[in-house]
Structures are given as C-alpha cells and as structure tokens.
Amino acid sequence: MMIESSSNTPVKKIKELLDGLCLESFLQVQNAIHLLLFSHGGVMRDFTEALYEKAISEPSTSILCAHLARHVYTQSKNSNMQGGLSGSDTQSFLRLLLNKCESEFEESLQTWFTPWDELMDEEEREAVENRRRKRSLGRIIFIGELYKVHLLTTKIIHSCVQRLLQAGMHGDEDRLGVMY
C-alpha cells in the first residue's frame, strides 16, 4: 500500500532526503531517514522502493544507497532486539529489497531477450535500448554494492551469473554483452 505523497508525508520527506544524498550529507540523510522510518510505521515499503530507484537511476549513488540500506537493516535488527520493531519489520526491509532486486533482474532477462516491436521505428528502439542499458548498469552496480556490504550472499550472486549465462545461451549474445 503506497502512502499518498503530499508535501508533509514521510514518503515525500524520504524522497526529498534521498534526492539530496551525497557523500557530504550522508550522515545527516541517514539520521533523518532513520528517524522517519522508526517514528512512522508503514513506510518501509515506500522507502525500499525509493532507495532502489535512486540507486539504479543514479549509479554514482549506489555505494551510498547500499550503505544506507545496510544501516537501516542493522538498525531495524537492533530495534527489534530492544523491542522497538517487530521481527517482521526487521525482515521485511531486507526481504522487500531482495524481492525488488530479484523481480527487476528477472524482468530484465525477460525484456532483453524479447523481439523488438516491429511497429517501433529506429529512433524509438534506440531510446528503449538506452533506457534498458542505463537501468541495467544501475542494477548491476547496486547489486554489487549490496554484496559488498554483506546484504547479498555469494549464493545469490552465483545464481545471477548462472541465469545470465543460461539466458545468453538461449538468446542473442550481442544483447547479453550489451546488457552487462
């Protein structure tokens, strides 16, 4: 369930904070998001979506987004131990993030190996291809950063590589190379 984004909602504030995410403001953004997440129930899904979109749409922020994700996961786990959050809240952040990464990864495999719409002209195809490449690159960088901060396991990374290789054997190798 998405919360309406009016100017005073926690979701709007989270998006504004993520828009200002940079190395210099990381600690302030981290603390402000921490306060919002742990004082307003029900925004974890919206935060997860916003964080994921920020990381893949701006790959230069993937490192910061991964560290922010690690902080939120660790803090939610600590709050759970201190009675601040339920166990489902702690696991829900990590589960939501992993589900989002997996569903986008699966979708990218499906869309990359589907034939082009014959009704598209060359310019439209190029625009779609560029959007796919940008999102794909952002996704790969973010997944790698999540792995580096120990939110993804080696088993998950190996599974991703295997799926890519299998998809390449059954699809267009040129597109696979462009994709990753």
Side-chain angles (χ1 to χ4, degrees):
M1 179 175 110
M2 296 294 275
I3 297 174
E4 290 181 26
S5 293
S6 68
S7 61
N8 295 328
T9 67
V11 175
K12 179 76 171 172
K13 288 187 182 264
I14 286 170
K15 288 179 181 180
E16 288 172 359
L17 288 166
L18 288 175
D19 283 343
L21 184 64
C22 64
L23 188 57
E24 294 80 22
S25 67
F26 180 77
L27 289 176
Q28 290 116 343
V29 170
Q30 176 182 281
N31 292 335
I33 285 178
H34 176 86
L35 287 172
L36 281 169
L37 290 177
F38 296 100
S39 64
H40 293 87
V43 295
M44 197 63 82
R45 178 178 303 278
D46 296 308
F47 167 70
T48 305
E49 291 280 332
L51 181 70
Y52 183 84
E53 286 303 318
K54 174 73 171 176
I56 66 168
S57 65
E58 297 177 40
S60 62
T61 66
S62 287
I63 294 171
L64 297 173
C65 290
H67 282 282
L68 185 56
R70 180 68 189 181
H71 171 77
V72 169
Y73 173 70
T74 302
Q75 291 304 310
S76 63
K77 196 171 170 183
N78 290 342
S79 288
N80 181 34
M81 290 178 191
Q82 298 169 4
L85 290 174
S86 69
S88 63
D89 288 337
T90 302
Q91 289 305 310
S92 74
F93 171 67
L94 188 55
R95 180 62 18 224
L96 287 168
L97 187 59
L98 294 177
N99 286 346
K100 183 68 175 169
C101 289
E102 182 179 20
S103 67
E104 286 262 339
F105 179 78
E106 292 294 331
E107 183 181 317
S108 72
L109 287 178
Q110 301 266 328
T111 59
W112 272 97
F113 295 105
T114 55
W116 288 108
D117 182 353
E118 293 180 13
L119 300 176
M120 293 173 109
D121 64 17
E122 189 62 34
E123 191 174 303
E124 287 175 305
R125 286 182 188 167
E126 190 174 310
V128 169
E129 183 88 18
N130 286 336
R131 282 193 302 273
R132 284 181 180 177
R133 283 182 190 163
K134 184 178 178 182
R135 279 190 75 81
S136 183
L137 179 61
R139 186 180 311 107
I140 291 167
I141 292 170
F142 187 51
I143 287 172
E145 294 301 331
L146 289 174
Y147 174 73
K148 286 168 50 177
V149 297
H150 307 288
L151 287 178
L152 294 180
T153 63
T154 303
K155 182 179 176 180
I156 292 171
I157 297 299
H158 285 170
S159 174
C160 290
V161 170
Q162 285 177 329
R163 286 191 205 151
L164 284 171
L165 291 174
Q166 288 170 351
M169 288 179 197
H170 304 299
D172 181 353
E173 288 80 10
D174 290 336
R175 282 196 178 176
L176 180 66
V178 167
M179 182 178 172
Y180 298 98

